[in-house]
């Protein structure tokens, strides 16, 4: 079994034990993910990038992965597939010769 | 090599080809992640959870994983470790007998 | 009539004409506000603070005010009162002698 | 003096007393606003719209207005003008005959 699936199974088990699946509709899972993303960002607020506490970054990032994995599980997405496909799509949107060294969005390139 | 490490390597290669590492400080990566999280949430706006387009959810979720993996890579975190540790911490914060069937935050339990 | 009440009335009229009140529950209004906040943040992504386009900042900020005013209207809050009260509360949480020149959160002061 | 300007002046005075202007670049102000927006959204997480605590909504909404006003002040925007202009632009993007009773985005109308 792949690593992602092992993590998903652990999260599933955690939720089943607590009878939490009833709350975990996709809309609230997406909302929970964005709230964790904001908590991650708060670690950098009024600071330089290197001033965030790595231990706290670790915690918030783990929360983000946890909700992202629950959403992937809910929709039956294979994490390896969707990320690999997205990298390929981005490679077409941001061709090396145009995008090299530029932070512009693809529609401004 | 683990699954998520393979994905990180693909993302690294993508960024090196485009010389994008210069933009990818941790603060902006966290910001990018939260913007993708908002794009995911927009798919559910004014809608019921089941009305979001799964194909679009897939795209946004892939973007979120991509930035989360870049942050894990930047800090040298092992994705399996940080997620597994977080599940264990949450199990202590939300003991089954207290948390079962409740959506309350741990400090309200 | 106060300035913000005039704006609320204009927004109300806009929504009534389009029969949009049916979608505007408080949860989705809050979600819409956070999505607009992310669009504002995207103007600063990978950039220095002064590199965001002021015209675009203006547009996104206007969207944020529009949703914030709709939420205030939904709950019957007086904008002057709630902001003034919050400034007073913050003055207690962040006493001048402790907070001067520090970006720390009140619980770390 | 208008109501918005009175609130902006109070916030300015608060920040000057604490010497906080040094932290308040536009990028971090926008980030702070989105973090407050996430805290507002957290009040609705796993809940129906009417289940959020109005007193807490009031606090978070006041924080959002406070940061939005600071950004308006930083760029020298007149709140009445930018919101009124935006409503007029939205009226063109969402003509009544097309938008009535529909939650679609303007580019899907």
């Amino acid at each position: 079994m792949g690593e992602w699936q092992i993590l998903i199974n652990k999260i599933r088990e955690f939720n089943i034990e607590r009878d939490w699946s009833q709350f975990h509709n996709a809309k609230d899972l997406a909302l929970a993910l964005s709230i964790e993303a904001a908590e991650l960002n708060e670690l950098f607020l009024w600071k330089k990038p290197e001033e965030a506490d790595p231990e706290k970054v670790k915690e918030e990032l783990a929360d983000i992965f946890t909700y992202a994995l629950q959403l992937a599980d809910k929709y039956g997405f294979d994490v390896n597939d969707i990320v690999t496909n997205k990298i390929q799509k981005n490679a077409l949107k941001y061709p090396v010769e145009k995008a090299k060294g530029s932070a512009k969005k693809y529609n401004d390139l």
Side-chain angles (χ1 to χ4, degrees), chain A:
Chain A
M1 197 191 300
E3 288 178 320
W4 294 119
Q5 193 56 52
I6 291 170
L7 291 177
I8 286 177
N9 288 356
K10 286 180 185 169
I11 298 167
R12 271 191 200 167
E13 190 187 8
F14 179 95
N15 287 326
I16 289 170
E17 285 174 353
R18 281 156 192 78
D19 198 14
W20 279 5
S21 315
Q22 57 182 315
F23 307 116
H24 288 181
N25 64 80
K27 185 169 181 170
D28 278 294
L29 282 172
L31 188 55
L33 197 160
S34 75
I35 292 165
E36 298 298 341
E39 293 181 3
L40 173 67
N41 274 275
E42 194 175 0
L43 303 176
F44 296 94
L45 185 63
W46 319 123
K47 293 183 186 164
K48 298 202 189 79
E50 61 276 14
E51 292 173 348
D53 179 340
E55 283 306 307
K56 290 182 182 168
V57 171
K58 187 189 286 179
E59 300 291 319
E60 300 304 341
L61 204 52
D63 285 333
I64 290 165
F65 273 113
T66 303
Y67 283 118
L69 287 167
Q70 286 181 78
L71 276 163
D73 187 31
K74 184 146 213 104
Y75 285 91
F77 299 150
D78 178 295
V79 178
N80 293 322
D81 284 356
I82 69 171
V83 176
T84 303
N85 287 342
K86 191 71 196 220
I87 296 171
Q88 286 167 354
K89 278 195 183 179
N90 282 342
L92 295 174
K93 266 166 88 177
Y94 296 95
V96 170
E97 61 274 21
K98 278 196 179 177
K100 195 159 188 175
S102 164
K104 285 186 182 164
K105 271 193 85 164
Y106 67 95
N107 40 9
D108 294 327
L109 278 176

